Amino acid sequence: MNVASKVSQTAGKHSPLEEEIRKLPIPVTSVFLGKDGKIRPAAFRETDKTLVCKGHDRIAQVFSKTVSKSRSIILEAVAGAESSSVTGKRVAVLFSGGPAAGGHNVLAGLSAVLGRGNTLLGIKKGPKGLLNSDLIEITPQNVQSILNLGGFDFLGTDRTKIKSPQQFEQVKATIVKNKLDGLVVVGGDDSNTNAAMIAEYLEQEGVDCSVVGIPKTIDGDLAAGKHLPISFGFDTASKIFSELVGNLTQDAASAVKYYHVVKLMGRTASKITLEVALQTKPAIALISEEIAEKDMSLESIVDYVVRAIVERRKKGINHGVILVPEGLVEFIPEMRRLISELNRVLAEYESDITDLPSLEHKKEFIIPHLTAASAQLMASLPDEIQEMLILDRDDHGNVKVSQIETEKLLIEKIRYRISEMKRHPDKFFGEGKIPATPQQIEDFKKMSLSTQSHFLGYEGRSSKPTRFDAAFTFLLGLTAGSLVLAGKTGYMAAVTDFDKGGRILGLPLSGLITVETRKGKEEFVIEKSLVDLDSPSFGLFAENRDRWAGEDLFSSPGAIQYWGPTSRQIPIIVALDQDYPDFGTFDLGEEKEIKID
Ligand code: FBP
């Protein structure tokens, strides 16, 4: 075969690597295996544990039907009775929110557990497809062709929130029209809250359809301690970012001229940043949750970073990598206040501001309406950031916080500070300030700071899943399918004990939900699981970061491996916080070659 035909043969996900990855075996927890070694649904028993959040009394009122059915009890999967074969069920699945690696294996797990006797349907383009009844049948052949491959492209996804009574009616209409016995929602905190609401609504309407959620998000912020250490997609995304950051640490030390400032996706929580820091040991990693806890201002963050740069320079190091979590600005208390004031002013004077001809005019109008501290902070920000804060609004008119280029903001502030220090060394060096000898100050004055900014995010969401995520998602599919076949509604599928053969749970969704008052309105939310500053994982980072800042001790984990020494790793933060002895090898059951027919 010549080169041209070999190249065209790889189109449509047929690269040599994809072909091999499709064939990789997947571990299957024993509760899903019959005596013949074949996959079949698990049964569920009630454990002696319940799951409730603060404000549960109100939750029990609003989710009265599902709460009284589940009694907030956590379910655990046990091997099903050999004869318990349910057939004739129609189950639909949708992806919701941002992609995360492993989604296709959720479909594979569902298809495998439903078997030929039941029908698996896929809802196209996420919740929007649920509203519009946009469904297709998923065949075993479809699933086999996407096994172990990344992305959500087989079905697509979107971020529509199902909120209004009319939307709930549309959901019911789709369920009735397609004679669905089950609906599986693969999503993050918002989507699983939505799943809980749909489950409750259908119960109240007397529609017999099980609704089950699956915890997905690269952010890792949908977790429930020992019952669910992490969401799927986190492992793959953080390994991809670790590879790239590892390469940058290596490049920084090789070219010896750049500081690479890298913003890492992860929305609110800094879990990805913490994991990548533990994997790569960069010069600096900022953790938003710590910054909020210490009530640090933007200037004090700049102080911290600049001090590390100066200390490195004293040792002759003028390069390195600085990690910045995506959600940082929302955790800097003064920035948070500024953003909330801006949201208020922009909403209150919307038409006056829109009519003003230029950004300068808009600024002149807005700044007097801010408190003095916020006005001063606003004025200290680079022009592009001010412009973004004023002009870039989301559908609700709020500042698009996740779009703020924090990495560039920090670079500008750091550069300005260093030039100020060169001009006025007495202000910054000396007793009670940064210690330095006259020679070190002279040397610092000669220093030139070269920076590069990066944003890593989308690169990590749709890759081929790691062996861990491939296994985790297949098991989540088996779990969700089993819950539906067992007629359970209002649960989230969960897997835990990744190092001990895997434990399969059904968590009552209502037990994860709490109530918040936002803009005077009651909102139901699943609280985000953020970096816990008392956790072993943060503790290990805090213990080591000064050493990593002081000299080049980076490590470069390299590309994700599907075979070989690191192919069976789980996230370091999971191993530490769950008190596993190691992070090198997961154990989720006997490995099986998956043939869905
Ligand atoms: P989900 O929580 O929906 O999985 O999304 C996670 C995420 O990747 C965040 O890390 C990021 O802030 C956001 O999606 C970006 O979303 P978009 O695709 O809308 O740009």
Side-chain angles (χ1 to χ4, degrees):
M1 192 186 298
N2 65 21
V3 175
S5 43
K6 235 181 160 174
V7 168
S8 68
Q9 211 180 48
T10 58
K13 299 187 184 163
H14 292 290
S15 71
L17 184 68
E18 284 165 319
E19 293 294 12
E20 286 307 307
I21 278 176
R22 257 191 206 100
K23 297 181 212 152
L24 282 174
I26 299 175
V28 180
T29 306
S30 59
V31 293
F32 296 114
L33 294 175
K35 285 202 184 110
D36 55 2
K38 291 207 171 125
I39 292 175
R40 60 197 198 95
F44 287 88
R45 70 165 180 89
E46 291 188 346
T47 63
D48 56 3
K49 301 225 162 13
T50 53
L51 192 67
V52 292
C53 272
K54 64 175 188 296
H56 187 67
D57 290 351
R58 179 68 187 131
I59 298 299
Q61 280 172 354
V62 177
F63 295 85
S64 60
K65 293 268 183 196
T66 39
V67 169
S68 69
K69 251 189 156 175
S70 73
R71 289 173 290 127
S72 307
I73 294 173
I74 296 176
L75 302 177
E76 175 162 9
V78 288
E82 284 297 319
S83 57
S84 72
S85 56
V86 180
T87 55
K89 300 286 177 196
R90 290 171 62 78
V91 181
V93 54
L94 65 82
F95 295 136
S96 179
H104 288 160
N105 276 20
V106 170
L107 306 186
L110 281 166
S111 176
V113 82
L114 293 179
R116 282 212 170 264
N118 301 291
T119 307
L120 178 63
L121 300 141
I123 299 172
K124 302 282 276 180
K125 300 192 196 90
K128 203 190 284 166
L130 179 61
L131 297 175
N132 303 333
S133 190
D134 189 359
L135 277 73
I136 52 159
E137 188 169 333
I138 302 179
T139 65
Q141 292 72 26
N142 293 147
V143 170
Q144 202 71 50
S145 72
I146 52 176
L147 188 69
N148 291 335
L149 297 188
F152 277 5
D153 52 316
F154 183 70
L155 291 178
T157 181
D158 91 323
R159 291 191 182 278
T160 301
K161 273 193 194 163
I162 295 165
K163 277 199 143 175
S164 68
Q166 191 209 350
Q167 286 175 316
F168 278 96
E169 274 171 34
Q170 279 175 270
V171 171
K172 181 173 136 188
T174 298
I175 287 171
V176 172
K177 179 174 161 200
N178 293 282
K179 301 190 174 60
L180 298 183
D181 302 289
L183 172 66
V184 176
V185 175
V186 181
D189 49 351
D190 279 347
S191 314
N192 274 283
T193 308
N194 243 201
M197 288 172 160
I198 295 172
E200 179 65 26
Y201 170 77
L202 294 177
E203 283 292 301
Q204 292 191 359
E205 292 291 299
V207 178
D208 190 12
C209 174
S210 301
V211 183
V212 173
I214 289 197
K216 168 243 53 164
T217 172
I218 66 160
D219 304 350
D221 59 6
L222 178 54
K226 286 228 168 300
H227 308 310
L228 175 70
I230 203 78
S231 49
F232 85 75
F234 175 85
D235 184 52
T236 309
S238 41
K239 285 203 171 102
I240 287 177
F241 299 155
S242 296
E243 179 200 353
L244 298 172
V245 169
N247 292 350
L248 289 174
T249 55
Q250 194 79 63
D251 186 81
S254 307
V256 289
K257 58 177 175 178
Y258 290 125
Y259 269 97
H260 291 276
V261 182
V262 190
K263 181 169 82 168
L264 293 174
M265 209 180 236
R267 185 126 28 193
T268 309
S270 304
K271 284 193 174 175
I272 287 186
T273 302
L274 180 59
E275 176 70 20
V276 174
L278 290 170
Q279 298 257 7
T280 61
K281 297 96 188 160
I284 297 168
L286 302 174
I287 300 295
S288 306
E289 290 82 345
E290 183 184 26
I291 281 161
E293 171 76 16
K294 292 186 170 164
D295 195 7
M296 287 172 83
S297 64
L298 187 54
E299 288 307 315
S300 61
I301 296 169
V302 173
D303 281 348
Y304 170 74
V305 174
V306 167
R307 192 177 267 263
I309 291 175
V310 170
E311 292 300 336
R312 285 169 75 83
R313 171 70 191 192
K314 283 198 226 161
K315 293 181 185 151
I317 308 173
N318 193 23
H319 59 262
V321 168
I322 301 172
L323 301 184
V324 182
E326 181 183 10
L328 179 69
V329 285
E330 278 185 290
F331 283 79
I332 304 172
E334 58 176 6
M335 283 294 290
R336 215 188 163 106
R337 280 191 291 276
L338 168 62
I339 290 166
S340 117
E341 285 179 34
L342 281 172
N343 285 340
R344 181 185 46 77
V345 174
L346 288 159
E348 212 169 304
Y349 301 98
E350 192 186 351
S351 51
D352 305 86
I353 296 169
T354 314
D355 288 347
L356 292 169
S358 71
L359 178 68
E360 278 318 306
H361 288 93
K362 290 182 203 283
K363 277 203 275 186
E364 269 171 36
F365 182 93
I366 292 167
I367 288 181
H369 289 91
L370 301 176
T371 58
S374 291
Q376 200 183 357
L377 177 61
M378 180 80 170
S380 77
L381 298 175
D383 286 344
E384 312 83 78
I385 304 286
Q386 291 192 34
E387 184 173 338
M388 207 173 267
L389 287 173
I390 293 175
L391 299 182
D392 256 1
R393 329 293 306 166
D394 67 14
D395 295 345
H396 307 284
N398 291 332
V399 172
K400 280 192 195 160
V401 179
S402 69
Q403 307 280 317
I404 297 174
E405 294 178 309
T406 330
E407 66 286 19
K408 296 194 179 148
L409 168 65
L410 277 179
I411 287 177
E412 183 144 344
K413 289 261 169 205
I414 292 163
R415 295 179 73 81
Y416 183 81
R417 173 68 63 80
I418 288 195
S419 95
E420 208 186 352
M421 288 166 82
K422 284 183 185 172
R423 281 180 282 118
H424 308 287
D426 298 349
K427 234 174 101 182
F428 298 94
F429 294 101
E431 232 183 274
K433 302 171 212 161
I434 302 179
T437 62
Q439 182 54 47
Q440 284 170 331
I441 295 174
E442 281 318 302
D443 181 49
F444 172 77
K445 285 193 197 160
K446 288 188 217 127
M447 164 180 154
S448 78
L449 182 79
S450 302
T451 51
Q452 298 286 351
S453 65
H454 310 261
F455 172 39
L456 301 181
Y458 301 99
E459 300 83 344
R461 302 197 307 185
S462 289
S463 132
K464 291 172 281 303
T466 55
R467 295 293 294 267
F468 171 74
D469 268 331
F472 186 20
T473 46
F474 188 73
L475 291 176
L476 286 169
L478 295 179
T479 310
S482 299
L483 282 163
V484 168
L485 293 180
K488 306 290 179 192
T489 193
Y491 287 87
M492 185 161 77
V495 181
T496 188
D497 287 358
F498 299 138
D499 65 333
K500 296 182 201 72
R503 211 149 69 88
I504 304 297
L505 302 174
L507 306 179
L509 278 166
S510 53
L512 294 163
I513 297 175
T514 182
V515 60
E516 280 182 9
T517 310
R518 291 183 187 161
K519 293 185 184 159
K521 267 186 64 194
E522 205 175 40
E523 292 269 355
F524 300 100
V525 290
I526 295 181
E527 244 176 60
K528 286 187 188 297
S529 162
L530 303 179
V531 169
D532 174 0
L533 302 182
D534 294 322
S535 63
S537 56
F538 180 78
L540 186 71
F541 164 73
E543 216 175 284
N544 283 286
R545 62 179 155 192
D546 289 349
R547 250 172 13 99
W548 302 342
E551 48 188 316
D552 270 341
L553 286 174
F554 61 85
S555 60
S556 180
I560 290 174
Q561 292 183 23
Y562 296 92
W563 300 265
T566 61
S567 60
R568 283 176 174 76
Q569 277 186 5
I570 54 173
I572 298 177
I573 65 166
V574 169
L576 285 167
D577 297 345
Q578 298 290 316
D579 202 20
Y580 297 166
D582 183 23
F583 64 90
T585 313
F586 62 79
D587 170 10
L588 285 166
E590 189 189 331
E591 286 202 344
K592 294 263 163 202
E593 197 186 316
I594 305 298
K595 281 258 172 300
I596 298 161
D597 46 24

